[in-house]
Every structure is written in C-alpha cells, then in structure tokens.
C-alpha cells in the first residue's frame, strides 16, 4: 500500500501498523464488512416481500392458500432459526442438483442417493465444477440470502399479519360502505395504515437481522468472523507481519461494528416512528398532536 | 447395523463424554435412523443444561440489573444501561467468540491472588471449556435481555399499587418484596416466557462459536450437523432436531403458563394466555 512497506521487519511501530493494517488480507477483511452490509441490504427487502406474501396468503379467502400462508408463518416457531440456516442452503443445493440431474442426464440409471452419497452426473453440478471461483462465491452467497429471506420472511409475515388485524375494523367497514371492492379496501385503507402498527415489530426484526449476520460464517462464506479468526491467529516469523494471538482485538473490532450498527438503527427507527405517528389514532400520535397544539 | 436398543445403549448418554457409551461416533455407511434420534436426543441434555442454568442465574441477576437501571442514582443507572446495551446490541455469536478468545489469553496455570496472609490460585483452565465459558456468556446475555424486560415492567407498575403500599407504611425491602416485585413479574411474564424460549434456542450456537466440543460431546445441533455431514443428507437429521425443539418449546410454554396462572391468580379475570411470539438469533 505504502512505498515504505517493502521490508516490514525494519519499520518503526506506527509505520509497521500502517503497513500491517493495509495488507492484502486486511483489505479483504474490510471488504467483508461490505458483504455483511450487502446481505442486510438485500435480505431486508426480500424478507419483507416474503413476509408480505405470507401475510396476504394467511388472510386469503381461498382455503388452500390460507393454510399455506399460516403454515409458512408457523414454520419457524419453536425451532431455532440456526437450524434453518444450516438446513435451507444444503437442501436447496441438493434440490437444484437433483432437478438438473433429471433434466441433463435422463438416461442415468443409478439412484442419486446411494447410502451416504449424493451422486449426480457431472453436468448437473450447481454450479458446474469448471465454473470460475466468483461464480461459486456468488452462488453460496445467494443460497445464504435465500435462507435469510425465508426465515426472516416468516417472521415478517407474522408481524405484518398481526398489524393487518390491528387496523381498526371500523375503518375497513367505512370503506366498504363507500362501495369499495375488497381489493380497493386492502390497497387504499389497510396497507397505508398498517405500517404504524407493524413498525415496532419490524424494527425489532431489523435488529435481529443485523445480529444474525455473523451466521454467514457457518455457511462457509468468508465473512468478518472468518477473517477475524484468520488474521487474529498468531503468525510466526515466516509471515511478513509476525504477531501473537490478536483474535481478541479483532473480535472487539467486530463487536464495536455491530454495536454501532444497532445504535444507529435504533436512532433511525425512533425518528421514523415519530414521523409515521403523525395524525394516527394512537397514543404516540395523540402526544404529537398535543405537543403541536 | 445396530438395532434400536443397541443404539440406545451405545449413544444414549454419549453427549456426556466418551466414557458413557461408544468412543467413536457412528460413521458414514453405518448410521441408522435410531442412531440419529438417540444421538441428537442425548445432545439435547447440553441444551437443557445451558438453558436451565442460564435462566436460573439470569433471573436473579436480571432483577438486580433492572432495579439498577430504574435507579435515580446515575452511578447505578449508567453502568446498568451500558451493560444492557452491550449485550443486547451485539450478536451472541460474536460474544461467544470474544469471550472464548479472552479466556484463552488467561494464564494457563491459573491466576495467583495475593491475600496478604496467603495466596490462592484461581483456576482458569475450565473457562475455555464450553460447560463453564459458554455458560457464563449465556448467563450475562440472558441477564441483559431479561433486565430490559423487567425494567419495562417496573416502569409500568400501577401508581395506585405503590400509593397503597405507602399508605400501609411499607418501605424498602418489604415494599419491594410484597408489592413491586410480584407486580413486575406478573407484567413481565409473557415477554419473559419468550425470552426463555429464545434462550433455549440460542444454546444451539455454543458449539459453533469457538468453544470446542470436548471428546465429540456436543449439543443436539452439533450432532445433527455431524450426522448431516456424514450421511450427506440434511433431510433426516435437521427435522429430528427441529422436532425435539418444538417439543422443548411446548414444555417451556406449559411450565411458564403454570407460573403465569399463579402470578395472576388474585385477579378477577382469567390470566391472559401466553402467546409465543417467536424471535430469532440475538
């Protein structure tokens, strides 16, 4: 990074640290913070989408759709979410390969699952074994993203379903009295009003989503936990920058990162709550009205 | 291939250590369904151990911490709020890693504590083992979460109750023990039930987070993952551990529901039913 970094062993302390903290692996470490933020940024809207679908399905008048929605909401109850994070990616992976196997190798006679083996033909591997490394990286990140969206979607569905039921019934009846169709009632009355009731639950979900991101490590992705362990472990003098066991300091840095993230989110949600409470028939809305008057 | 009785005697207590069953875990080609059910079930004892002890200790510490946060004295309030923020604001997963690395750095031979007349050696080696180190992290974590719940409940103790206590001349410990504390528990109980369930679920993280599984004795999810890796089939082991946890969750709801009914027994209307609002990893 810097011109004086050619021979780190001879450097004074501050230059040594300047070089150490900008080495190639450290840049990968900093980049992995971006991966975590990217996961949050992608998982939150997709979970919301899944949640929305689940909540609407659970309210449906068509019985099979309703059962499907309610099953989805109930799915993650009572089961630790970490089980889903371990299960979903490998299940999807095997499912895809099984599907590809039947499409690409129809004349393959042996069963796919033989004893302790899961053997599909070479053309059915997802991604193909000769694919470049970045394809594998993106694929495993994508699987992790689906797992996050699926699990958090179920929780968001639960929250949104509850919020839709809290919107005062009289409001919906008034809309019906005006001759709106079911669809119009949902779109014009229910959806705009439910957010204020959903926000406390959603903000809680957001916090939990942030705190679930280190689980990426379990899915074999090179995230901040992976790099903190790698970089912090003691390095002998065959390395350019030998040092003792510094993992404690690396994990402290990761901890501070998460504390900052949750602290900032808390502030943002406080403001958002105030903003959305304006003009609502809730205690917070009433307080705002009084303060203004 | 073993039959079910043989698996039970081989792996029923395997999670306690390799002296309590077969030394080696079953290998790839030799895993029966009974093996999976028995082995994962034996791992559940670790989840119960962590969960019950953490809740047992955490309950009392959380009460103290909630009182600290509710105090008007900034010397008590600030550290209490800071502790709660630290543990609620960061992932439990990172807390495990951090604690483990900190415990590893402690001197291996123990710390000599000089007490003028004698020196005692504080053993530190066991802190790096899951049964002690992870338990400490779980206790501190659930203390923070429960304290936040109890603090919310403390703030919503009805004013009339406190005034009535004053009118009877109750002060200090008696007022707390007979008025504030029961009401606080009653108000906090539904949320506290969620926290308890949540904590039992969080115990599955222990053996994935730095703390090594000594002699391959780990918790239920540790074995589930081992079996899923060995058989390369996630569709058996994970549903089994999920089913165990659904059962465990139902038992917790049942126990906490009984306590809830007792806490609310003086009220004219029936106690509100406990509803489990699921939450996720912390």
């Amino acid at each position: 990074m810097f011109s004086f970094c050619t021979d780190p062993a001879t450097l004074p302390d501050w230059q040594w640290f300047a070089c150490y903290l900008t080495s190639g692996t450290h840049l990968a470490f900093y980049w992995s913070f971006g991966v975590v933020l990217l996961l949050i940024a992608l998982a939150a809207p997709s979970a919301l989408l899944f949640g929305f679908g689940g909540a609407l399905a659970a309210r449906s008048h068509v019985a099979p759709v309703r059962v499907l929605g309610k099953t989805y909401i109930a799915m993650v109850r009572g089961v630790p979410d970490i089980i889903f994070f371990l299960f979903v990616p490998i299940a999807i992976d095997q499912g895809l390969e099984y599907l590809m196997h039947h499409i690409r190798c129809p004349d393959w006679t042996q069963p796919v699952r033989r004893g302790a083996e899961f053997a599909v033909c070479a053309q059915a591997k997802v991604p193909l074994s000769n694919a470049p490394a970045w394809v594998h990286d993106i694929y495993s990140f994508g699987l992790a993203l689906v797992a996050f969206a699926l699990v958090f979607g179920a929780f968001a569905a639960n929250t949104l379903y509850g919020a839709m039921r809290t919107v005062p019934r009289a409001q919906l009846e008034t809309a019906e009295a005006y001759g709106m169709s079911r669809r119009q009632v949902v779109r014009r009355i229910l959806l705009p009003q439910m957010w204020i009731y959903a926000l406390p639950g959603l903000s809680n979900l957001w916090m939990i989503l942030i705190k679930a991101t280190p689980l990426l490590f379990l899915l074999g992705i090179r995230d901040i936990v992976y790099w903190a362990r790698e970089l912090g472990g003691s390095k002998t003098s065959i390395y350019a920058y030998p040092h003792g066991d510094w993992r404690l300091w690396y994990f402290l840095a990761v901890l501070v990162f998460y504390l900052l993230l949750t602290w900032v989110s808390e502030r943002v949600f406080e403001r958002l709550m105030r903003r959305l409470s304006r003009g609502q028939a809730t205690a917070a809305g009433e307080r705002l009205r009084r303060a203004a008057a | 291939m073993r039959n079910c009785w043989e698996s039970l005697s081989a792996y029923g207590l395997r999670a306690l250590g390799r002296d309590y069953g077969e030394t080696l875990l079953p290998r790839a080609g030799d895993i029966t369904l009974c093996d999976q059910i028995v082995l994962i079930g034996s791992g559940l004892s670790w989840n119960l151990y962590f969960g019950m002890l953490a809740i047992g200790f955490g309950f009392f510490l959380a009460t103290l911490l909630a009182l600290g946060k509710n105090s008007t004295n900034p010397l008590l309030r600030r550290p209490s709020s800071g502790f709660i923020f630290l543990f609620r604001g960061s992932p439990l997963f990172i807390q495990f890693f951090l604690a483990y690395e900190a415990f590893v750095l402690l001197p291996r031979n123990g710390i000599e504590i000089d007490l003028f007349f004698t020196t005692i050696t504080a053993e530190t080696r066991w802190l790096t083992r899951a049964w002690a180190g992870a338990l400490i992290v779980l206790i501190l974590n659930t203390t923070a979460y429960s304290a936040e719940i109890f603090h919310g409940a403390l703030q919503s103790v009805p004013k009339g109750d406190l005034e009535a206590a004053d009118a009877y001349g109750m002060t200090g410990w008696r007022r707390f023990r007979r008025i504030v504390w029961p009401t606080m528990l009653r108000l906090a109980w539904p949320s506290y039930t969620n926290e308890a369930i949540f904590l039992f679920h969080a115990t599955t993280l222990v053996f994935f987070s730095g703390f090594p599984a000594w002699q391959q004795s780990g918790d239920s999810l540790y074995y589930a993952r081992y079996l899923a890796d060995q058989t390369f089939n996630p569709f058996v082991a994970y549903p089994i551990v999920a089913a165990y946890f659904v059962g465990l969750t139902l038992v917790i709801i049942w126990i906490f529901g009984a306590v809830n009914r007792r806490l609310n027994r003086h009220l004219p209307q029936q106690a509100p039913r406990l509803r489990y609002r699921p939450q996720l990893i912390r």
Side-chain angles (χ1 to χ4, degrees), chain A residues 108-123:
Chain A
W108 195 277
T109 49
Q110 285 164 311
V112 169
R113 214 178 265 296
R114 287 193 299 273
E117 263 182 89
F118 181 82
V120 292
C121 61
Q123 298 92 325

Side-chain angles (χ1 to χ4, degrees), chain A residues 30-226:
Chain A
Y30 306 141
W31 176 242
S32 66
F33 283 92
V35 172
V36 168
L37 293 178
L38 183 72
L39 178 82
I40 297 176
L42 291 177
S46 28
L48 210 54
L49 211 67
F50 273 63
F52 220 77
L56 285 178
R59 281 176 56 92
S60 167
H61 280 217
V62 187
V65 179
R66 190 170 60 235
V67 170
L68 201 71
K70 292 209 165 164
T71 317
Y72 176 53
I73 291 179
M75 179 185 81
V76 274
R77 265 191 207 190
V79 177
D81 53 316
I82 171 174
I83 295 179
F84 285 99
F85 290 129
L86 292 178
F87 172 76
V88 169
I90 181 166
I92 292 179
D93 184 47
Q94 292 195 351
L96 277 179
E97 290 196 344
Y98 186 76
L99 209 67
M100 295 297 281
H101 179 78
H102 278 268
I103 295 170
R104 295 218 174 137
C105 314
D107 42 358
W108 195 277
T109 49
Q110 285 164 311
V112 169
R113 214 178 265 296
R114 287 193 299 273
E117 263 182 89
F118 181 82
V120 292
C121 61
Q123 298 92 325
K125 286 261 187 275
V126 182
L128 290 174
S129 49
N130 56 6
W134 61 267
V135 175
H136 285 269
D137 284 349
I138 290 202
Y139 179 66
S140 53
F141 182 81
L143 284 183
L145 183 62
V146 171
F148 271 81
L150 210 64
V151 171
F152 280 88
F155 286 84
N158 196 31
T159 306
L160 294 176
Y161 180 67
M164 285 177 187
R165 293 213 304 185
T166 340
V167 171
R169 182 80 200 115
Q171 302 259 3
L172 307 182
E173 276 166 8
T174 312
E176 278 160 15
Y178 271 96
M180 289 191 195
S181 69
R182 253 185 75 76
R183 272 210 154 155
Q184 283 174 321
V185 173
V186 168
R187 226 184 43 237
R188 295 191 188 164
I189 310 293
L190 184 67
L191 295 189
Q193 286 205 72
M194 64 169 232
W195 293 109
I196 184 66
Y197 300 102
L199 194 66
L202 289 182
S203 77
N204 191 31
L205 260 182
W206 169 263
M207 296 293 185
I208 298 167
L209 173 65
I210 290 177
K211 288 183 266 171
T213 49
L215 296 182
L216 273 180
F217 170 69
L218 293 182
L219 306 178
I221 290 170
R222 297 187 166 195
D223 75 328
I224 42 184
V225 178
Y226 170 85

Side-chain angles (χ1 to χ4, degrees), chain B residues 242-258:
Chain B
Y244 274 120
F245 268 95
V246 169
L248 182 61
T249 306
L250 290 177
V251 171
I252 297 170
I253 290 180
W254 181 69
I255 293 174
F256 275 70

